[in-house]
């Protein structure tokens, strides 16, 4: 019986940590060509595929939809995620396409006052990305897929 392995990828400051989370049956034909099969080409699946391809694993990504997401489920990309994107080598593409905001204010329309305010510039001491980045999920998937297609292992 053949298996493909589902990995959980964690990123720390210096390297990727890859942890086995499950093993699933896979046909021998696919196994001869790829080291890892990823089901789902959303942002998480594409990030995982890029990370594994950078570790010289041959990766196949399977997606049931023929195009990227129409609606964004997570249009804001926070600092820690930007650090992950930097490790994948795609952060510059994200910064070119997105809108960076270093301050967040949530307003009460009835009283016309800010309910919550965050100044993300205070994060400058702990991250290179002291802002959040607004980018539609379709653009996120497009950038990650384009990068994946450039990698010989993908």
């Amino acid at each position: 019986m053949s298996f493909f392995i589902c990995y959980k990828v964690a990123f720390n400051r210096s390297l990727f940590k890859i942890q086995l989370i499950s093993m699933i049956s896979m046909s021998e034909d696919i196994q001869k060509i790829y080291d890892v099969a990823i089901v789902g080409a959303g942002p998480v699946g594409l990030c995982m595929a890029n990370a594994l391809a950078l570790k010289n694993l041959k990766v196949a990504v399977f997606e049931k939809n023929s195009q990227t997401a129409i609606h964004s489920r997570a249009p804001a990309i926070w600092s820690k995620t930007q650090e992950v994107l930097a490790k994948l080598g795609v952060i510059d593409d994200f910064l070119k396409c997105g809108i960076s905001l270093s301050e967040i204010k949530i307003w009460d329309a009835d009283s016309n006052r800010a309910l919550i305010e965050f100044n993300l510039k205070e994060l400058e001491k702990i991250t290179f990305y002291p802002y959040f980045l607004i980018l539609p999920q379709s653009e996120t998937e497009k950038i990650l897929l384009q990068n994946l297609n450039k990698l010989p292992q993908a």
Side-chain angles (χ1 to χ4, degrees):
M1 178 176 276
S2 301
F3 294 93
F4 77 87
I5 300 173
C6 294
Y7 289 95
K8 175 181 175 184
V9 180
F11 301 88
N12 65 23
R13 297 207 185 277
S14 60
L15 49 98
F16 299 114
K17 290 184 178 178
I18 302 174
Q19 173 186 358
L20 171 68
I21 57 173
S22 66
M23 294 178 69
I24 301 170
S25 178
M26 182 173 74
S27 76
E28 288 189 30
D29 292 339
I30 297 291
Q31 186 184 21
K32 290 177 186 174
I33 301 170
Y34 300 104
D35 298 313
V36 179
I38 296 173
V39 178
V44 173
L46 290 171
C47 277
M48 181 181 289
N50 275 275
L52 294 172
L54 288 171
K55 296 301 249 177
N56 293 317
L57 292 169
K58 292 181 182 175
V59 179
V61 179
F62 299 95
E63 173 59 50
K64 67 179 177 179
N65 299 315
S66 61
Q67 60 186 12
T68 58
I70 297 170
H71 303 289
S72 291
R73 293 177 198 92
I77 301 172
W78 292 92
S79 301
K80 199 64 172 173
T81 304
Q82 292 176 62
E83 291 175 15
V84 170
L85 296 171
K87 289 178 187 281
L88 296 176
V90 296
I91 190 63
D92 290 339
D93 295 328
F94 276 80
L95 294 174
K96 287 177 195 169
C97 296
I99 299 169
S100 298
L101 298 175
S102 59
E103 188 176 13
I104 303 169
K105 289 185 181 181
I106 298 175
W107 288 84
D108 178 357
D110 295 332
S111 66
N112 196 27
R113 67 180 179 93
L115 297 174
I116 300 172
E117 296 183 49
F118 298 102
N119 185 345
L120 299 174
K121 287 188 178 189
E122 295 176 19
L123 299 175
E124 287 178 338
K125 295 176 185 171
I126 60 172
T127 182
F128 290 116
Y129 308 99
Y131 43 82
F132 72 96
L133 189 62
I134 297 177
L135 189 70
Q137 184 172 331
S138 59
E139 279 298 306
T140 295
E141 292 173 1
K142 178 181 169 188
I143 292 168
L144 291 169
L145 185 58
Q146 286 173 346
N147 190 69
L148 185 62
N149 287 330
K150 292 178 192 174
L151 300 173
Q153 297 82 356

